[in-house]
Structures are given as C-alpha cells and as structure tokens.
Amino acid sequence: MAQVPGGAHERMLSVAVAALNEREPERLWPLLASALPGLCGGETLIYKLDDWNEAQGTVGMPSEVAVEFDGLGEEDLGLLRAGFPFADHYAGGPDRTPLTARAAAGAAWSASPTARLIGDVMDADHVLAVPLPQTTTPITGCMIYRSGTDFTEDHVRVARQLQPLLAAVEQQRQLLERLKRTPAPESAGETAVDCPLTPREMTVLLLLTDALTAAAIGRRLGISDRTVHKHIEKIYRKLGTRDRVSTVLRAQQLGLIPTP
C-alpha cells in the first residue's frame, strides 16, 4: 500500500468536507484542481467532465494555467480534448486504473504531438490519467502533469486511493446542478427558506427521489446505513413529514427538487 504523503489524509478529508459544504457546482472541480496534483506528485492538472475526444467538450484547469492556454488554436485544443494516449486505452475495456502516459504508449509518448504541446505550454514531461471509476461512456476524469522524472508507482497508487473521492465530488456536482435547475416555488406561502437543509441532507433528499434504498445511498456517498437513516430522520423533521413519499411530494411543493 502506498504511503500517502505526510498530512495528505488530512488534506483529503479537508477537500471532502469542503466539497460537501459547497453549494455552487462550478466550484467543485476547481477546488479539486488546487489540491489533487500535490497529493499525486504532480504540479498541475486539467479535467474533462465530458468524453475524452478531440471533436468537442470543455477542458477545465486552474486559473493560473488557463492563461497559458488562451492563445491555443483549435488543433492544439483538440489534442487536449483527446487526452492521448488515454482515450483509446480506456475505451478498450472496463479498467479505470490510473495510468501514466509512458506506461500506456511507451516510447510513442515522447514523440507525440501531445507531449510536445504540454512541454511547450506547461513545461511538463509526464502525465498521469485519473479517470473516474466505473465510467463507461463518456469516459471522464482528470490528467495530472509533472516535469522531470515520471510519476512513481506510489504516485499511481495514491491516485487510485483518490478515485472514490473524485467520483463522490462529481456526483455531488451533478446533484447540485439538478438542484440549480429546479424552478423556484410559485406559491407565496412557505418556501425552502423556511426549512433549510444542509448540503448533505439535500444530497440524500435528491437520492431519495431516485428511489434508492438507504443502503444504496450509503454506498453512493461512502457512509453507513445508520448515518443515512439519521439524515433521513432530520429531513423528515425539517419538512414535517413521516415517510419517503410524502417527503418527496413536500420537497417538490417547496421547490427543493424538480416536479416530474
């Protein structure tokens, strides 16, 4: 088992707590981008929340790196979107283990246009791909960059340890996006402000609407069944309900979740 760098467990926990308390979905991956490279032996990263292909999609990165990419043409942006050599590698099967570019492509990596691009723009020599676990189509995740020597086996193992955290943050982002798309209640009566839920309680509430069991919610969020039941009890108390169906209906009435 890799020894996570000193203080990294505390930093990982800090990132997880910050993510669970963040209400703006667009801030979640930038939060990860500031913490993740240092945990895996890297210097910076880019993330792609849509498929790793060169034709379309957006690439996210820390603001200090984004300045370097402002002048790139469409061809170079396509190289970033494609994520050579990882898109082809992960598309070939279900394995989502973090992998370095050199391990995936061998000597072809150093001679590739992508290696040239990141060398010119980011002064980096090596890339470590960290796909989100269990993703199929599209394949999403992030790529971490460093200069000098390649990532070590310990760096790759640490990246593997971090994959569940990345998946949880991405699930949180998607849930928050769903929440933002929820229209405000039209009634002039009681509103969501009258029964405020914590970010974690909102996450559990949204998963309740998907008819997931407490055990399934616990697996999705990485918490115990008992903790899930405690969150559900608090939701019931705040919404003044006693069961799942009435809770979902009440949350829809208040505009907390979308009405089908």
Side-chain angles (χ1 to χ4, degrees), residues 96-110:
R96 296 294 178 265
T97 304
L99 189 70
T100 66
R102 190 168 297 280
W109 162 247
S110 297

Side-chain angles (χ1 to χ4, degrees), residues 3-169:
Q3 293 297 313
V4 180
H9 282 114
E10 291 78 6
R11 289 160 64 192
M12 289 164 58
L13 178 60
S14 176
V15 170
V17 171
L20 289 173
N21 285 281
E22 178 57 65
R23 290 183 178 272
E24 298 300 328
E26 63 273 9
R27 294 180 183 174
L28 286 173
W29 273 94
L31 184 155
L32 287 177
S34 66
L36 189 60
L39 295 173
C40 299
E43 296 156 6
T44 190
L45 65 73
I46 65 173
Y47 53 90
K48 201 162 188 295
L49 305 182
D50 37 39
D51 200 15
W52 286 351
N53 67 66
E54 66 183 44
Q56 59 186 357
T58 57
V59 175
M61 61 195 74
S63 57
E64 62 272 16
V65 177
V67 176
E68 304 295 330
F69 287 86
D70 285 344
L72 291 185
E74 189 59 30
E75 182 179 350
D76 285 339
L77 287 175
L79 291 175
L80 287 179
R81 294 192 192 106
F84 174 82
F86 305 114
D88 290 341
H89 171 81
Y90 290 118
D95 181 26
R96 296 294 178 265
T97 304
L99 189 70
T100 66
R102 190 168 297 280
W109 162 247
S110 297
S112 69
T114 304
R116 172 197 55 77
L117 175 65
I118 68 163
D120 291 344
V121 178
M122 304 172 68
D123 194 26
D125 305 299
H126 305 282
V127 190
L128 171 63
V130 190
L132 296 183
Q134 300 178 342
T135 54
T136 53
T137 302
I139 299 169
T140 62
C142 61
M143 287 167 276
I144 303 173
Y145 301 85
R146 68 177 278 145
S147 57
T149 58
D150 203 353
F151 293 88
T152 67
E153 291 184 4
D154 278 355
H155 292 146
V156 177
R157 292 193 186 101
V158 171
R160 190 180 306 137
Q161 293 174 357
L162 287 166
Q163 280 180 298
L165 173 60
L166 303 188
V169 170

